[in-house]
Amino acid sequence: MSGKGLEGVVAAQTTLSHVYGEEGRLIYGGYDIADLAENVSFEEVCHLLWFGELPNQSRLDALRARLHEGLRVPAPVIDLLRQAGPESHPMAILRTGVSALSFYDPEAEDNSPDANLNKAIRLTAQTCTLTGAIARLRQGNEPVEPRADLGLAANLLYMMLGRVPDELETRIMDAALTLHAEHGMNASTFAARVTAGTLSDMHSAVVSAIGTLKGPLHGGANEQVMEMLLKIRTPERADAWVREALERGEKIMGFGNRVYPTTDPRAPILKRLAEELNRRGDGRRPWLEISERIQATMREEMDRRGKKIYPNVDFFSASVYYTLGIARDMFTNVFACARMAGWTAHVIEQFRDNRLIRPQSEYVGAPPRRVAPIADRT
Ligand SMILES: CC(C)(COP(=O)(O)OP(=O)(O)OC[C@H]1O[C@@H](n2cnc3c(N)ncnc32)[C@H](O)[C@@H]1OP(=O)(O)O)[C@@H](O)C(=O)NCCC(=O)NCCS
């Protein structure tokens, strides 16, 4: 069968981002991801995705004010989060919370360009607030209110950890959000565009996307990477652990990406951020060293098997988030906070020139037949 997993299929045109797979390069609106991660804030990336250009100072100030306004989440939605049990996954809680936001959004059913832009801004900010509240509630703490003096990256950390992050932590979170904001027609973005393509509404589209991001083959991989690092525990154990897992036919989480037959360009940037965080630690955090050992073993094993499998965005983001003090099961929610900017930009783009997305399937079932009376059926 051709097209399994829709590999190689172009499902839409976009001005938002492009993956140059062979070269291992990713651009958002023409800007290289490394340039953006180094030089702009997440809010500036949001502006680029929603308005097509990086903002000047006054436009940035205006967007920051609107995002800050958007951080407010109606109290009943926070109360809804309290109903989740300890076994509910934070991404399931986020999916429910974001869906409930539509009850209180005056523009929930309005698909006009203005309303969709307003919702994009609100949803991106509110996802940070919900993520902060979910993290706090899971640890038995009360959610904290966002602070007017902090940007989105710092506010997200503040609302999750309950303390104001320092300059380095803020800069690293800003870069991590930038690197996760957008990535062409990835699975969750596709889900969002399929939903928008039926002329449903923006909340429905991003709820589809959150459910899709949750899976371990997509955004859920960062949590799995951390689980692996914690299981391996010490750098000396990494090599044997990886070889044994591969021997059992298992995949190593944080490796491989359909669109990169080479290193995912976001991985080395995240590795550098993890190094920066590590340098100022007490030197007892083994996560980066374990990750490097895994990377070396994977290089050897994949070369031997003739496969082009390299670290992806999730591999080093696990060490970054964990070192920042974020709980392992909250990693994918942080990814969702960033990707909300990309999803909403894609929904706006889909509505601008919509056509229903409706592929076909190849039928491999029974040949045509007639219904037998129930008494005659085996
Ligand atoms: C991302 C991913 C789903 C892409 O999948 P895909 O394009 O459908 O590629 P496949 O799963 O068909 O993999 C192709 C081959 O590479 C191998 N492979 C892919 N990822 C691998 C990994 N992480 N570890 C070991 N082997 C891997 C597969 O076993 C397969 O081998 P085979 O041809 O002998 O059966 C896949 O690489 C994966 O599952 N990675 C781990 C999860 C992850 O990190 N996801 C986050 C992506 S950003």
Side-chain angles (χ1 to χ4, degrees):
M1 187 195 103
S2 66
K4 191 169 182 196
L6 297 183
E7 182 163 1
V9 172
V10 173
Q13 290 190 320
T14 184
T15 59
L16 299 171
S17 67
H18 186 62
V19 171
Y20 295 90
E22 293 288 337
E23 298 167 39
R25 221 153 60 77
L26 167 63
I27 55 166
Y28 296 171
Y31 296 101
D32 194 279
I33 192 72
D35 195 5
L36 292 171
E38 178 83 27
N39 295 306
V40 304
S41 63
F42 177 56
E43 285 92 335
E44 288 167 87
V45 170
C46 289
H47 194 286
L48 174 64
L49 294 173
W50 294 329
F51 298 93
E53 293 297 339
L54 287 171
N56 60 19
Q57 191 61 51
S58 69
R59 291 210 173 98
L60 177 59
D61 292 344
L63 179 60
R64 282 205 167 122
R66 291 178 75 182
L67 282 164
H68 190 264
E69 182 83 0
L71 283 166
R72 268 186 288 127
V73 165
V77 179
I78 299 289
D79 286 338
L80 179 65
L81 306 181
R82 295 179 200 278
Q83 293 181 33
E87 69 292 338
S88 302
H89 193 278
M91 280 294 281
I93 308 175
L94 181 69
R95 189 191 60 220
T96 303
V98 169
S99 188
L101 287 172
S102 74
F103 301 162
Y104 306 93
D105 195 314
E107 294 174 305
E109 300 299 329
D110 185 345
N111 280 341
S112 66
D114 282 353
N116 276 333
L117 182 59
N118 294 337
K119 286 186 280 187
I121 295 171
R122 272 197 293 278
L123 275 164
T124 301
Q126 287 170 325
T127 302
C128 294
T129 307
L130 289 180
T131 293
I134 293 166
R136 298 275 300 164
L137 290 169
R138 283 175 73 75
Q139 289 167 351
N141 298 315
E142 270 305 294
V144 295
E145 291 286 318
R147 285 175 53 136
D149 58 330
L150 302 178
L152 269 192
N155 250 324
L156 175 59
L157 280 173
Y158 170 66
M159 290 188 286
M160 279 193 291
L161 306 176
R163 64 170 179 81
V164 176
D166 63 25
E167 191 271 331
L168 176 69
E169 291 170 325
T170 303
R171 185 164 55 73
I172 284 180
M173 185 47 112
D174 242 322
L177 292 176
T178 292
L179 292 171
H180 286 82
E182 165 58 11
H183 200 227
M185 195 56 79
N186 60 89
S188 57
T189 298
F190 182 59
R193 286 191 81 133
V194 169
T195 302
T198 68
L199 297 185
S200 185
D201 64 285
M202 187 174 275
H203 284 83
S204 298
V206 300
V207 168
S208 300
I210 292 171
T212 308
L213 186 73
K214 179 172 178 281
L217 295 190
H218 190 8
N222 54 13
E223 179 186 347
Q224 305 284 325
V225 170
M226 198 62 230
E227 217 159 90
M228 169 174 72
L229 299 181
L230 289 166
K231 268 191 214 147
I232 294 176
R233 265 195 338 267
T234 63
E236 303 72 49
R237 285 165 40 91
D239 184 71
W241 195 95
V242 170
R243 286 187 212 279
E244 281 163 25
L246 290 173
E247 217 42 57
R248 290 192 298 271
E250 291 171 16
K251 281 182 171 175
I252 305 301
M253 291 292 134
F255 283 82
N257 191 309
R258 175 80 60 83
V259 291
Y260 295 112
T262 180
T263 299
D264 178 332
R266 300 164 296 177
I269 305 174
L270 284 156
K271 183 179 180 194
R272 278 197 297 281
L273 300 178
E275 282 164 353
E276 263 194 81
L277 273 175
N278 249 20
R279 263 200 297 279
R280 71 164 197 182
D282 55 14
R284 279 182 295 163
R285 285 189 288 254
W287 317 123
L288 195 53
E289 205 184 330
I290 298 176
S291 304
E292 283 168 342
R293 299 274 187 108
I294 295 173
Q295 190 181 3
T297 307
M298 277 297 279
R299 194 180 302 127
E300 229 176 76
E301 283 290 323
M302 292 300 117
D303 277 355
R304 196 166 64 78
R305 292 158 203 238
K307 290 184 187 170
K308 294 183 170 178
I309 306 290
Y310 299 90
N312 59 44
V313 70
D314 296 305
F315 189 59
F316 289 106
S317 64
S319 310
V320 171
Y321 295 155
Y322 204 70
T323 311
L324 284 170
I326 300 169
R328 177 177 94 224
D329 61 4
M330 293 302 303
F331 288 4
T332 314
N333 292 54
V334 174
F335 192 157
C337 292
R339 191 54 63 84
M340 187 59 76
W343 291 330
T344 50
H346 274 275
V347 171
I348 290 169
E349 200 173 50
Q350 183 66 35
F351 278 129
R352 205 176 286 141
D353 183 25
N354 186 57
R355 185 153 192 239
L356 181 77
I357 299 172
R358 204 294 190 193
Q360 291 188 5
S361 47
E362 181 187 10
Y363 181 65
V364 292
R369 48 187 171 162
R370 296 187 70 86
V371 172
I374 195 161
D376 297 348
R377 295 180 215 156
T378 52

